[in-house]
Amino acid sequence: MLDAFQNYFRELAETHPKWNFIFFYDPVQAERVLSGLWMTIQLSVVCVILSVVIGVLGAWAQGSPFRPLRLAVQGYIQFFRNTPPLVQLLFFYFALGQFTPTYSPDGWLEVPIISNVGWAILSLSFFAGAFNVEIFRAGIDAVPDATKEVSEALGMNRGQTYRYVVLPLAFRVSLPALNNNLVNLVKTTTQAMVIAVPELLYQLVNIYNDYSTAQNASMVLMFVVYVVLVGILVMGMHKWEHAMRIPGYGRH
């Protein structure tokens, strides 16, 4: 079965050189694509989780009575929301990267503590986290004041009210907007290739640089993979949104 599959695409490349799906019959190129796909999935999952954590903590800090903390969160939001993610990636890696400590695993070569993958995770997570802060803040504002007052009347402090009452309700309201932002985040991971993160786009560009006839096939594969990845995320978010829906809440 596998031999027939490989032979089909090998013959297709011979008869139609512009459609050389070399990664379907060359094990070396297949390994490059799989490693790139795995890096893309890892990058997406870690950035999604970190950006949500940043959003929750930032939204909580925005409601703090401590004014310097609120100003710091506002500065963070304006910085990451008003600059392109590609510029942020380059700034983090080339500018801030110069100030990070290094270590020498073999006693000769100095290696920075934060790798290019680490900088990509930090940059993309902070970028999406800035939007998540505003999304969760809008969700918190949608929770009626009477609900907060009732929890305080029951003896809860601000942290308990936020954790047990406000955040669960705000999370449900925020899910549709959060869904859009996380989809954009997954698509933005392709920009990590500018700092040589070996994700899927980076590997496919290298493949068609080595085999020019594989350019069209590489772009088709990349398009299909991202449609599938984003489709899985959207379906998961929709199921989560449906499962957390409170009958009657937020509906008129």
Side-chain angles (χ1 to χ4, degrees):
M1 184 67 180
L2 180 60
D3 289 340
F5 179 81
Q6 292 175 330
N7 287 335
Y8 171 79
F9 284 102
R10 188 178 288 109
E11 291 174 3
L12 179 66
E14 292 172 357
T15 55
H16 299 82
K18 290 184 178 181
W19 294 103
N20 183 8
F21 291 85
I22 190 170
F23 31 78
F24 285 159
Y25 61 85
D26 185 327
V28 175
Q29 308 313 318
E31 180 64 26
R32 294 169 75 177
V33 170
L34 290 175
S35 68
L37 177 60
W38 179 234
M39 175 58 71
T40 294
I41 293 173
Q42 288 178 297
L43 195 61
S44 301
V45 171
V46 174
C47 289
V48 163
I49 294 173
L50 285 180
S51 70
V52 172
V53 172
I54 292 170
V56 171
L57 294 178
W60 177 81
Q62 273 199 322
S64 170
F66 189 51
R67 190 166 182 269
L69 180 58
R70 297 200 307 272
L71 292 176
V73 174
Q74 272 302 315
Y76 155 69
I77 293 172
Q78 296 306 321
F79 176 81
F80 282 94
R81 194 172 58 178
N82 298 336
T83 53
L86 182 60
V87 173
Q88 293 167 18
L89 271 169
L90 296 174
F91 172 77
F92 269 69
Y93 183 63
F94 290 109
L96 295 185
Q98 302 301 314
F99 301 100
T100 54
T102 60
Y103 71 102
S104 181
D106 56 4
W108 294 91
L109 184 64
E110 289 291 327
V111 178
I113 289 179
I114 303 177
S115 66
N116 55 343
V117 176
W119 282 120
I121 290 173
L122 288 174
S123 175
L124 294 174
S125 298
F126 279 118
F127 167 69
F131 289 90
N132 286 347
V133 171
E134 290 294 75
I135 290 171
F136 285 126
R137 184 187 60 80
I140 290 171
D141 289 345
V143 177
D145 289 338
T147 305
K148 304 174 190 175
E149 292 168 0
V150 168
S151 63
E152 290 171 358
L154 291 174
M156 293 185 181
N157 57 32
R158 182 173 177 270
Q160 290 171 326
T161 299
Y162 183 81
R163 188 163 66 250
Y164 298 122
V165 179
V166 176
L167 189 59
L169 293 174
F171 209 79
R172 290 168 168 84
V173 177
S174 304
L175 275 179
L178 183 66
N179 187 357
N180 289 333
N181 193 37
L182 296 185
V183 166
N184 284 331
L185 173 59
V186 171
K187 292 185 290 186
T188 308
T189 58
T190 56
Q191 297 186 10
M193 72 166 292
V194 299
I195 57 174
V197 174
E199 44 76 57
L200 182 62
L201 179 58
Y202 178 89
Q203 296 289 9
L204 289 175
V205 168
N206 283 338
I207 288 174
Y208 74 67
N209 281 337
D210 295 339
Y211 304 90
S212 59
T213 55
Q215 180 175 358
N216 295 341
S218 297
M219 293 301 100
V220 169
L221 178 66
M222 185 176 66
F223 183 82
V224 171
V225 167
Y226 271 95
V227 167
V228 172
L229 283 180
V230 172
I232 292 172
L233 175 62
V234 169
M235 284 193 294
M237 291 293 291
H238 281 166
K239 283 189 176 180
W240 191 19
E241 185 180 339
H242 183 73
M244 295 187 68
R245 184 167 55 86
I246 300 175
Y249 184 77
R251 294 171 180 268
H252 300 287

